[in-house]
mmCIF file of all heavy atoms in Angstrom:
data_model
loop_
_atom_site.group_PDB
_atom_site.id
_atom_site.type_symbol
_atom_site.label_atom_id
_atom_site.label_comp_id
_atom_site.label_asym_id
_atom_site.label_seq_id
_atom_site.Cartn_x
_atom_site.Cartn_y
_atom_site.Cartn_z
ATOM 1 N N GLU A 197 104.644 -26.805 -113.667
ATOM 2 C CA GLU A 197 103.514 -26.571 -114.627
ATOM 3 C C GLU A 197 103.266 -25.077 -114.808
ATOM 4 O O GLU A 197 103.143 -24.567 -115.927
ATOM 5 C CB GLU A 197 102.291 -27.252 -114.054
ATOM 6 C CG GLU A 197 101.152 -27.381 -115.044
ATOM 7 C CD GLU A 197 99.923 -27.868 -114.351
ATOM 8 O OE1 GLU A 197 99.905 -27.993 -113.129
ATOM 9 O OE2 GLU A 197 98.969 -28.098 -115.071
ATOM 10 N N GLN A 209 102.851 -13.668 -126.396
ATOM 11 C CA GLN A 209 102.458 -12.275 -126.128
ATOM 12 C C GLN A 209 103.497 -11.313 -126.688
ATOM 13 O O GLN A 209 104.674 -11.476 -126.465
ATOM 14 C CB GLN A 209 102.354 -12.066 -124.615
ATOM 15 C CG GLN A 209 101.030 -12.505 -124.057
ATOM 16 C CD GLN A 209 101.017 -12.449 -122.571
ATOM 17 O OE1 GLN A 209 101.930 -11.883 -121.964
ATOM 18 N NE2 GLN A 209 100.002 -13.023 -121.991
ATOM 19 N N THR A 217 107.349 6.165 -116.286
ATOM 20 C CA THR A 217 108.552 6.208 -115.497
ATOM 21 C C THR A 217 108.732 4.850 -114.800
ATOM 22 O O THR A 217 107.777 4.339 -114.214
ATOM 23 C CB THR A 217 108.429 7.289 -114.410
ATOM 24 O OG1 THR A 217 107.904 8.456 -114.988
ATOM 25 C CG2 THR A 217 109.757 7.573 -113.739
ATOM 26 N N ASP A 278 128.447 21.177 -112.411
ATOM 27 C CA ASP A 278 129.317 22.226 -111.884
ATOM 28 C C ASP A 278 130.786 21.964 -112.206
ATOM 29 O O ASP A 278 131.531 22.890 -112.471
ATOM 30 C CB ASP A 278 129.100 22.388 -110.368
ATOM 31 C CG ASP A 278 127.747 23.046 -110.060
ATOM 32 O OD1 ASP A 278 127.158 23.576 -110.979
ATOM 33 O OD2 ASP A 278 127.342 22.985 -108.899
ATOM 34 N N VAL A 287 141.581 28.731 -116.733
ATOM 35 C CA VAL A 287 142.715 28.711 -117.708
ATOM 36 C C VAL A 287 143.238 27.277 -117.803
ATOM 37 O O VAL A 287 143.362 26.596 -116.779
ATOM 38 C CB VAL A 287 143.812 29.669 -117.214
ATOM 39 C CG1 VAL A 287 145.023 29.623 -118.099
ATOM 40 C CG2 VAL A 287 143.261 31.087 -117.097
ATOM 41 N N LEU A 292 149.045 28.169 -118.253
ATOM 42 C CA LEU A 292 149.467 28.797 -116.972
ATOM 43 C C LEU A 292 150.918 29.095 -116.996
ATOM 44 O O LEU A 292 151.707 28.493 -117.766
ATOM 45 C CB LEU A 292 149.194 27.792 -115.822
ATOM 46 C CG LEU A 292 147.734 27.538 -115.422
ATOM 47 C CD1 LEU A 292 147.677 26.445 -114.357
ATOM 48 C CD2 LEU A 292 147.071 28.813 -114.892
ATOM 49 N N SER A 296 153.131 27.427 -111.582
ATOM 50 C CA SER A 296 151.751 27.293 -111.158
ATOM 51 C C SER A 296 151.375 25.833 -110.880
ATOM 52 O O SER A 296 151.965 24.896 -111.445
ATOM 53 C CB SER A 296 150.790 27.779 -112.274
ATOM 54 O OG SER A 296 151.162 29.050 -112.698
ATOM 55 N N LYS A 327 157.318 19.023 -124.274
ATOM 56 C CA LYS A 327 156.746 18.783 -125.602
ATOM 57 C C LYS A 327 155.405 18.058 -125.526
ATOM 58 O O LYS A 327 154.712 17.931 -126.542
ATOM 59 C CB LYS A 327 157.751 18.006 -126.464
ATOM 60 C CG LYS A 327 158.030 16.587 -126.062
ATOM 61 C CD LYS A 327 158.829 15.842 -127.131
ATOM 62 C CE LYS A 327 158.824 14.365 -126.934
ATOM 63 N NZ LYS A 327 159.734 13.628 -126.291
ATOM 64 N N ILE A 332 148.772 17.840 -122.002
ATOM 65 C CA ILE A 332 148.757 17.881 -120.554
ATOM 66 C C ILE A 332 147.343 18.228 -120.044
ATOM 67 O O ILE A 332 146.908 17.732 -118.993
ATOM 68 C CB ILE A 332 149.803 18.878 -119.963
ATOM 69 C CG1 ILE A 332 149.929 18.769 -118.434
ATOM 70 C CG2 ILE A 332 149.505 20.318 -120.343
ATOM 71 C CD1 ILE A 332 150.461 17.481 -117.950
ATOM 72 N N PHE A 348 139.006 4.693 -108.318
ATOM 73 C CA PHE A 348 140.123 3.904 -107.788
ATOM 74 C C PHE A 348 139.605 2.800 -106.871
ATOM 75 O O PHE A 348 138.660 3.018 -106.106
ATOM 76 C CB PHE A 348 141.085 4.784 -107.007
ATOM 77 C CG PHE A 348 141.846 5.761 -107.889
ATOM 78 C CD1 PHE A 348 141.332 7.031 -108.140
ATOM 79 C CD2 PHE A 348 143.019 5.396 -108.494
ATOM 80 C CE1 PHE A 348 142.002 7.907 -108.946
ATOM 81 C CE2 PHE A 348 143.701 6.280 -109.307
ATOM 82 C CZ PHE A 348 143.200 7.545 -109.527
ATOM 83 N N GLN A 349 140.253 1.644 -106.945
ATOM 84 C CA GLN A 349 139.789 0.538 -106.098
ATOM 85 C C GLN A 349 139.887 0.964 -104.603
ATOM 86 O O GLN A 349 138.998 0.665 -103.822
ATOM 87 C CB GLN A 349 140.668 -0.691 -106.341
ATOM 88 C CG GLN A 349 140.176 -1.900 -105.537
ATOM 89 C CD GLN A 349 141.153 -3.059 -105.602
ATOM 90 O OE1 GLN A 349 142.154 -3.004 -106.347
ATOM 91 N NE2 GLN A 349 140.893 -4.065 -104.846
ATOM 92 N N GLY A 356 143.621 13.523 -103.572
ATOM 93 C CA GLY A 356 143.442 14.461 -104.653
ATOM 94 C C GLY A 356 144.589 14.432 -105.645
ATOM 95 O O GLY A 356 145.540 13.647 -105.484
ATOM 96 N N ILE A 374 147.772 7.418 -97.309
ATOM 97 C CA ILE A 374 148.732 6.520 -96.635
ATOM 98 C C ILE A 374 149.992 6.379 -97.463
ATOM 99 O O ILE A 374 149.982 6.678 -98.659
ATOM 100 C CB ILE A 374 148.098 5.115 -96.426
ATOM 101 C CG1 ILE A 374 147.571 4.589 -97.765
ATOM 102 C CG2 ILE A 374 147.032 5.099 -95.348
ATOM 103 C CD1 ILE A 374 147.321 3.130 -97.777
ATOM 104 N N SER A 375 151.058 5.932 -96.788
ATOM 105 C CA SER A 375 152.309 5.691 -97.552
ATOM 106 C C SER A 375 152.946 4.405 -97.103
ATOM 107 O O SER A 375 153.937 3.959 -97.693
ATOM 108 C CB SER A 375 153.273 6.867 -97.327
ATOM 109 O OG SER A 375 153.540 7.011 -95.957
ATOM 110 N N ILE A 400 156.871 4.936 -112.752
ATOM 111 C CA ILE A 400 156.501 6.173 -111.988
ATOM 112 C C ILE A 400 156.830 5.918 -110.513
ATOM 113 O O ILE A 400 156.933 4.782 -110.065
ATOM 114 C CB ILE A 400 155.028 6.563 -112.191
ATOM 115 C CG1 ILE A 400 154.079 5.470 -111.691
ATOM 116 C CG2 ILE A 400 154.734 6.888 -113.635
ATOM 117 C CD1 ILE A 400 152.630 5.968 -111.607
ATOM 118 N N ALA A 406 156.371 12.954 -95.797
ATOM 119 C CA ALA A 406 157.303 13.177 -94.671
ATOM 120 C C ALA A 406 158.706 13.357 -95.206
ATOM 121 O O ALA A 406 159.443 14.263 -94.775
ATOM 122 C CB ALA A 406 157.238 11.985 -93.743
ATOM 123 N N SER A 411 163.304 16.940 -96.559
ATOM 124 C CA SER A 411 164.422 17.347 -97.427
ATOM 125 C C SER A 411 164.106 18.614 -98.212
ATOM 126 O O SER A 411 164.995 19.148 -98.805
ATOM 127 C CB SER A 411 164.716 16.198 -98.438
ATOM 128 O OG SER A 411 163.560 16.004 -99.196
#
Side-chain angles (χ1 to χ4, degrees):
E197 192 188 7
Q209 276 172 11
T217 315
D278 287 346
V287 176
L292 289 174
S296 309
K327 68 169 194 268
I332 188 66
F348 292 90
Q349 185 190 353
I374 52 164
S375 58
I400 62 168
S411 61

